[in-house]
Amino acid sequence: MDAPTLVVVPPSPGSQLSTRSKGQHAYPQIDNSTTAAPNSNSIDTLGSNSYQPSESRSSSENTAVNIYSMYSDGGPDADPRLSYTADTSAKRLVGRGTSSRTNSPPTNMGSPEFRYSTTSSRQNSVHEGVYETQSPMISATTSAPKTSSTTRSAASPITPGESPTGQVIERTGFGQPAILINPPPRRSSRQSLHSNRLSNDRDVDGLSTNSSHHGSSSMPRASLSPTRVSSDPATSATSSSAQSLPKAIIPSPIRPMAPSPGANEDPDSYFVRATYAAFDVSGVRGDGYEEGEELTRARMGTGRNNLPSPLPDTAKRLTMGPKELNEKEVQILGQLDRYGFYAPPSDNRLVLLATQPLRTALSSYKTASTSATPTPPVLPAQPPLHETREGRKTEDRRIAKWGRMLVPASRDSGTNIARWKIEERKERKLEERVFKGIPDRWRSAAWYTLIERGPVGAGKSRGDSSLRAEKLAEEYRDAIDLPSSFDIQIDLDVPRTISGHVMFKTRYGMGQRSMFHVLHSFSLHCDSCGYCQGMGPVAATLLCYLEPEKVYTCLVRLHDDYDMHDIFLPGFKGLLEAFYVQEKIMQKMLPGLYSTFKQNSICTTAYAVKWYITLFANTVPFQTQLRLWDIYFLEGKDILVLMAVAILWVFKDNLLSSSASFESMLNLLSSFYVVEDEDVLMAWLRKAMSDRRLRREMAGWREEWKELVHAGKEMEALI
Amino acid sequence: MAGSEAPPNLKLLLIGNSSVGKSSLLMRFTDAQFLPEDESSATIGVDFRVCKMEIGGRRVKLSIWDTAGQERFRTITSSYYRGAQGIIVAYDISNRETFDALPRWFTELDTYVTPSVVKMLVGNKLDKEFSRAVSEDEGRKFAQRNGCLFLEASAKTNVGVREAFQELVEKILDTPELWAPAAPRITSTATAKPQQSMPGSIDLSANAQDNASSGCSC
């Protein structure tokens, strides 16, 4: 127990994944998984709730592949059987003129148009691959039923390929793409990888190009660029090959997809929006491993008139058609950790959040050992995730338990599980299991389900949540077409959010576009909140587990039901309330620290703003953040305050050290905390959360704060 | 006493529009490091870094506050102006808008800091010379008009960053009233460790005493 283990959720037992690397990376092997993910048979396996230890892989592990597959389309699963249901809704969407929006890859992944436009070249190619040429992909596809049939639980009557509108999350989260068992030759996966990536446009715009000649026909995308840019031939002169492409083949349906500028929309703002829209259609080369090119953040002169259009370049890329991943690319992608990170985000102020202090529950602490050093040891780097056999077994057990605890609540027209619920008899187990950490492959379903329920005790009646979800999804799509005054700021933040993650690595790649769209739409959701820096990491993390529409839905729920509204609001009243509660707890439990902070004017805004606004995303490693969010989605905002207190608790002796200074204290409080043992931290938090008296007091302090605000005396009440 | 004098502890503040490279300048200076776009992250609220430097054989401790650029955070960041001896206002030479926003930042400064505080205007991203949108001359003239130091720099290619901090600190050291409180009367305030006014409550009158020592820094 004392051995420091930094792994919370032990890497899943998916080491079968590493078929080629002797398990040195037990993590997503892009080439295998790529073919796997789009395989709608995985829907089946996921629908199946089944416990498949041999194949289990976390949903975030899948994020490595999501970028290619889950966002793009059904891939080989574009089973003709599926296209029917898809067909109608696609027409509906297109008819509503939102196609350019729904076209955004993420939206698409679960959305029907993909199947609708089976005329698309890419789809054709896939079909060819699967049904005619018997490419290795088919073996992947067909292997799915075998596996899943042996393991499928009664809870999932879905059969492979039945689910056209599969929830991507579920798809990637719960089931093991059968392909993993029987990885296809690399070649096919590469093909699908690229074809998926290149396909967005065709799936939606109905271009019937021949997949084997991805080139010239993709040119029409030029028409999607902001008109003022693309209309200028000079700007596209950089790409002669692109220019030579016949404009005549621009299909008419593509035109309405170019967003039109809003009445009073700032031209720069429009340029940003239009650029993302353009890349929605064209895709970006090397999505997931190349840097991509910056086109919108830098402005020249007073506007962006001189900027190159994204389109000529894009078109040029597309003319290259699918290419094989070279050895280097394969190697790069093989380095991803289980959560899809190339490398843990770097921070040069890593401090170990030691286990020892957490062995003592939160209580009144009066006798500080002032002999402690003012600064705990600094870590050179974030230790890599490592998995243990034991950890894997534990995770397997938990996966099985969660499979019995979460049951389908409703299904969509394709009998996919649309929503989940907690099995009533297991309800009493929920809290304990959440605190132990939701197994990563269940996180997607669990998070969405928990957020839909709202925090414990909130008790707000929110109507039929499925109706509400549908309405919100529509709101999301519609909002993408509207101008937002926050677009420029959002665009500034998108490429520097959740750094080092495969989904968000490539400029204007699918992940970045999803993030942009979600934040854009969310900025229009609440007039008073708009967009606040810090929403980005929240949206990005959710995007690792949920498709964009659902991420939007979740953000709205966090905003409404988890009181994030008050946190994001200009003036940050919810933030100040949290500070007040935190300081009250300090005053009670850590009086020495409280008075030291007070004496030194170490106010909470100096260090804790980002803690609360980003829900600790930029403060603790990803795996710790996930554990914390598990609890947050179940319990609500009190856990954030207690996590802040936990950090102070761990470092209380350092902060109270006789040689501590203002600088040393603030430096420590501005650090990035690598948690030595998440289980111990979560147990500490659980104990604090279950302290009824403390919770009552916290509620009381929140009321007290409101009164102080009312009386205009709130500022004096804070340190 | 002269030799063993404790190094002065100076408080600096970085402000400027979002994404002009405030945090990058700071990281380059304190850690000799530059994080590419996709590895950096937006500053939320305020960030704090400490750094030691030696100027003319004299050791100085710097506490540097880095602030979020988004307008919304100004309610939070503005309280960090208090007690600062030096302020770096950064803009992006390749982004005109960030330069055009400078008057607003200087209005903030007029509101929150005393005139004696040393200001330094830094045009960052000099590495983007090819897409320059603000000429060096414009930057310099603006700085002159507003009585502050000026430098162009690149956190990315490590040009001018150290110089910017160095010039700023030298200037502060040349203005003793900024960092050496005239009288130790402050001890009456029961503060164990005498700090200059640190960010805290919203009391904005705390620095009024400094007004006497105006003397524009430029």
Side-chain angles (χ1 to χ4, degrees), chain A residues 291 297-302 346 348-349 486 489 492-493 495-496 499-500 505 528-534 568-572 575 599-601 603 605-606 609-610 613-614 618 660 662-663 665-667 670 715, chain B residues 9 18-19 27 31 33 35 37-50 63 65 68-70 72-73 75-76 79-80 94-97 125 128 130-131 133 190-193 195 198-202:
Chain A
E291 299 291 333
R297 293 173 100 241
R299 264 166 289 178
M300 302 169 113
T302 52
S346 44
N348 52 0
R349 286 175 299 177
F486 293 99
Q489 182 67 54
L492 286 176
D493 293 335
R496 51 176 176 163
S499 58
K505 182 182 178 69
S528 36
C529 281
Y531 168 73
C532 172
Q533 282 190 314
F568 295 139
L569 199 64
F572 305 107
L575 193 60
Q599 266 171 25
N600 288 281
S601 296
C603 60
T605 53
V609 173
K610 67 169 179 174
I613 291 186
T614 66
N618 292 346
F662 177 85
E663 290 76 25
M665 287 189 262
L666 266 170
N667 207 35
S670 310
M715 283 313 174
Chain B
N9 197 336
S18 188
S19 199
M27 185 168 260
D31 297 277
Q33 213 184 345
L35 293 179
E37 192 58 63
D38 63 340
E39 281 180 42
S40 60
S41 60
T43 304
I44 311 292
V46 288
D47 194 15
F48 178 83
R49 277 177 193 266
V50 284
S63 308
W65 292 94
Q70 197 190 10
R72 178 165 316 190
F73 288 98
T75 52
I76 287 173
S79 63
Y80 290 82
S94 68
N95 185 338
R96 183 83 207 173
E97 204 172 69
K125 307 200 186 178
K128 289 189 174 176
F130 59 90
S131 60
T191 308
K193 297 153 203 162
Q195 298 288 342
M198 284 300 172
S201 54
I202 300 305

Side-chain angles (χ1 to χ4, degrees), chain A residues 3-64:
Chain A
T5 137
L6 293 155
V7 180
V8 184
V9 183
S12 67
S15 45
Q16 292 84 349
L17 280 172
S18 34
T19 50
R20 72 165 171 265
S21 60
K22 292 183 265 167
Q24 85 234 43
H25 322 292
Y27 304 123
Q29 308 289 317
I30 293 301
D31 51 344
N32 297 347
S33 19
T34 310
T35 40
N39 181 349
S40 85
N41 292 318
S42 59
I43 294 170
D44 152 53
T45 43
L46 16 118
S48 75
N49 280 354
S50 55
Y51 172 38
Q52 301 165 29
S54 62
E55 320 165 47
S56 64
R57 185 175 59 159
S58 73
S59 55
S60 49
E61 281 169 345
N62 276 312
T63 54

